[in-house]
Amino acid sequence: MVAVPAEQLDVAASWNSAGLRGTQSLTVRARDIEIPNSNVENYSHILSGENRRLNALAGREEHASYGGLFTGVLMNCLVGSMLGATEAGLEYVAAAAGKHPVLGSTYTSMSDSGAIRSEIGRLWSSFDIYQRAAEFNADTIDHAAREPEITLTTEDRVAIRGRATQIMRGCLSIVQDLLWIYGASGLDKGSPLERIWRDVNVGARHGGFSKFVPEEAIGLSRVERDPKELTRMF
């Protein structure tokens, strides 16, 4: 990660992915940038936590430091955004339940339907489980950041990524089911539910959580093989 003066950057292209247009997400290219070796950190040392141990030995760990926990913190940030969007979707549909009828039925409001009430309850319960898993991940990382002598094991790290992956997929499933409850009008352009559905679908497909890599990494650690054979993102 490098801080570069804006005047030395060119905008190469805008991102056209659904959910990222208009968010100022851009591909940039740096021109004539020289980075001294003293300002470069080997990324494998960050992922492994080695730089945290070196800093601790040098007496530079007076406060909580996430320097060697970058990937774990990244998982927290992405998961937090997904949980926030999913919670907003749940609140939106719950508020609408007392106002909108169930089309094609005699229910004058969705809240009159026992089936819909049960489904909303199930989705809130599922969300609560995912939120608790995210809090556990955050607590684990925070504890390691505050205690320099603690080094998260490979099993700890792949488990954090695995839980984060299940949270992301769970949020995606909840939002998909909310659309079944709310109906196709939830996909109208400008609808809050449409924006939530779009952003959660994009977020859940981040490379850190897709293609079953997190699950295979856990499997490798459980059969006493090194997950680094597959990935270093943990």
Side-chain angles (χ1 to χ4, degrees):
M1 302 185 108
V2 184
V4 178
E7 61 270 15
Q8 292 180 276
L9 293 175
D10 292 326
V11 175
S14 296
W15 291 5
N16 293 314
S17 174
L20 295 177
R21 290 191 293 266
T23 63
Q24 298 185 356
S25 297
L26 306 167
T27 298
V28 296
R29 182 180 296 112
R31 292 178 285 103
D32 301 322
I33 298 296
E34 182 177 348
I35 303 172
N37 287 336
S38 59
N39 289 1
V40 175
E41 179 69 53
N42 188 315
Y43 189 54
S44 65
H45 293 171
I46 295 175
L47 291 179
S48 67
E50 179 64 24
N51 69 325
R52 292 182 71 244
R53 291 191 289 274
L54 294 174
N55 286 337
L57 290 172
R60 296 198 294 266
E61 290 282 333
E62 298 176 0
H63 305 290
S65 172
Y66 297 87
L69 302 165
F70 176 73
T71 302
V73 174
L74 177 66
M75 297 295 174
N76 278 350
C77 295
L78 294 171
V79 165
S81 299
M82 292 283 285
L83 286 168
T86 304
E87 185 175 25
L90 284 162
E91 291 173 345
Y92 182 79
V93 172
K99 304 173 185 177
H100 296 280
V102 180
L103 297 180
S105 78
T106 59
Y107 292 120
T108 58
S109 73
M110 292 191 293
S111 62
D112 291 335
S113 165
I116 287 181
R117 293 195 300 266
S118 296
E119 184 67 355
I120 290 175
R122 180 186 70 81
L123 295 178
W124 271 106
S125 295
S126 297
F127 177 78
D128 183 68
I129 291 171
Y130 298 134
Q131 190 172 35
R132 301 294 169 241
E135 290 169 353
F136 181 82
N137 271 2
D139 288 344
T140 301
I141 295 168
D142 285 347
H143 186 56
R146 295 190 186 102
E147 302 294 339
E149 68 275 10
I150 294 176
T151 300
L152 296 181
T153 66
T154 294
E155 288 73 18
D156 293 331
R157 288 170 175 269
V158 296
I160 286 171
R161 185 179 178 187
R163 280 189 292 270
T165 300
Q166 296 309 310
I167 294 165
M168 296 289 261
R169 292 178 183 165
C171 287
L172 181 60
S173 177
I174 288 173
V175 171
Q176 191 71 17
D177 287 345
L178 287 174
L179 275 169
W180 279 109
I181 295 171
Y182 191 84
S185 62
L187 287 176
D188 289 346
K189 283 292 185 183
S191 165
L193 200 55
E194 183 269 339
R195 292 197 298 272
I196 291 167
W197 175 82
R198 178 194 63 197
D199 292 346
V200 169
N201 268 271
V202 172
R205 285 164 176 77
H206 182 278
F209 311 101
S210 61
K211 302 179 179 67
F212 303 105
V213 172
E215 290 91 339
E216 187 176 356
I218 293 173
L220 282 166
S221 72
R222 292 301 177 182
V223 297
E224 299 182 351
R225 290 181 57 178
D226 189 353
K228 293 188 183 71
E229 297 174 19
L230 174 69
T231 178
R232 289 184 176 272
M233 188 181 282
F234 58 80

